Amino acid sequence: SKQQVLSPILPACRSLVPDFETDDAFHSFSGARAKSSRGDWIIERCATEPDLIHAAGIDSPGIAGSPAIALEVVRLLGEAGLDAPADPAFNPSRAAVVVPKRGDEGLVYTPDDKESLNALGVSAAENVVCKCEKVTEAEVVDACRRSLPIDSTQAIRKRTRAGMGGCQGKPWNYGCECRVAQIIARETEGLPVAEVGRRPWSATSQFPRRWLSDGDKENLKAWSQPPPAEADETARKLEEALPLEVSPVEAAEAEAE
């Protein structure tokens, strides 16, 4: 059950960060982590199919290591007999999709009527489609027009953070998922809005609903409380870590403030 999973984790979080508040949680996620029985990444040619290159079991720090992994795979492909000339048009430096924002400067939050993508008719660079993460229509369009095809809001979420904020795409907050789906349908010829992929929530969640209810939050709060003995021990350790006396200099500084 989710209680069995979360009861050991949440008190541990509170012991590390005593003022940790479960009310700030917007969901609980689960997923599969790539682990191999070797205790290491598997980057090698297949023993039975020499033309197949394995790149498996890539856990931490796979993202940081991905450039080196790619170079090693290219080297192994060369050993396997691949003779492909370098593409002179290839550009290894990809322009950023997300544009840094300075507060709300230059941004326009348009009314959400569940039908209009840009009810005020502002420019795409001004039109905010995700309020929590301040993602604009222009950023979503840019992501859609990159080399990899996009047919889901999940793909845009991973490229622009649209839908990754505190509201998690609640339709009654700003309707960002509906807005993003409209852009994807518009930028993808022949794809109806109804067929744009949405977030596969049930496969990645510890809860049966997409958004936490008040009852869920009460459960999280209860499960985050350590047993009394552990709480007393944590308080004792915190007390030992705090200074027992205040120096005259510190007292004078405190009075001056």
Side-chain angles (χ1 to χ4, degrees), residues 9-177:
I9 297 173
L10 294 176
C13 293
R14 192 175 292 282
S15 67
L16 291 172
V17 185
D19 59 351
F20 165 68
E21 289 293 340
T22 54
D23 280 348
D24 293 336
F26 52 73
H27 216 83
S28 172
F29 300 91
S30 63
R33 184 186 178 104
K35 296 291 288 186
S36 75
S37 57
R38 301 184 189 179
D40 200 357
W41 300 351
I42 301 173
I43 308 172
E44 60 189 34
R45 294 173 66 182
C46 176
T48 56
E49 295 290 340
D51 293 342
L52 174 65
I53 309 300
H54 290 305
I58 312 296
D59 53 9
S60 301
I63 294 177
S66 57
I69 294 172
L71 293 174
E72 177 64 7
V73 170
V74 170
R75 186 187 70 80
L76 293 172
L77 286 169
E79 289 184 356
L82 178 66
D83 184 18
D87 181 0
F90 174 70
N91 182 0
S93 301
R94 186 183 68 176
V97 174
V98 178
V99 178
K101 313 296 192 305
R102 187 185 296 274
D104 288 334
E105 182 180 328
L107 301 178
V108 177
Y109 297 89
T110 57
D112 176 29
D113 59 10
K114 299 295 183 290
E115 294 182 2
S116 301
L117 172 63
N118 187 348
L120 299 180
V122 299
S123 70
E126 296 174 299
N127 183 27
V128 174
V129 295
C130 174
K131 183 169 68 174
C132 295
E133 294 294 325
K134 300 182 180 180
V135 180
T136 65
E137 178 184 353
E139 290 168 317
V140 176
V141 169
D142 183 14
C144 287
R145 295 180 181 178
R146 296 293 177 102
S147 56
L148 294 177
I150 289 177
D151 61 0
S152 71
T153 59
Q154 183 84 331
I156 288 293
R157 184 174 74 93
K158 294 177 179 178
R159 288 163 173 79
T160 67
R161 294 189 59 84
M164 291 186 74
C167 89
Q168 291 288 285
K170 289 178 180 176
W172 55 88
N173 180 36
Y174 196 68
C176 68
E177 191 166 41

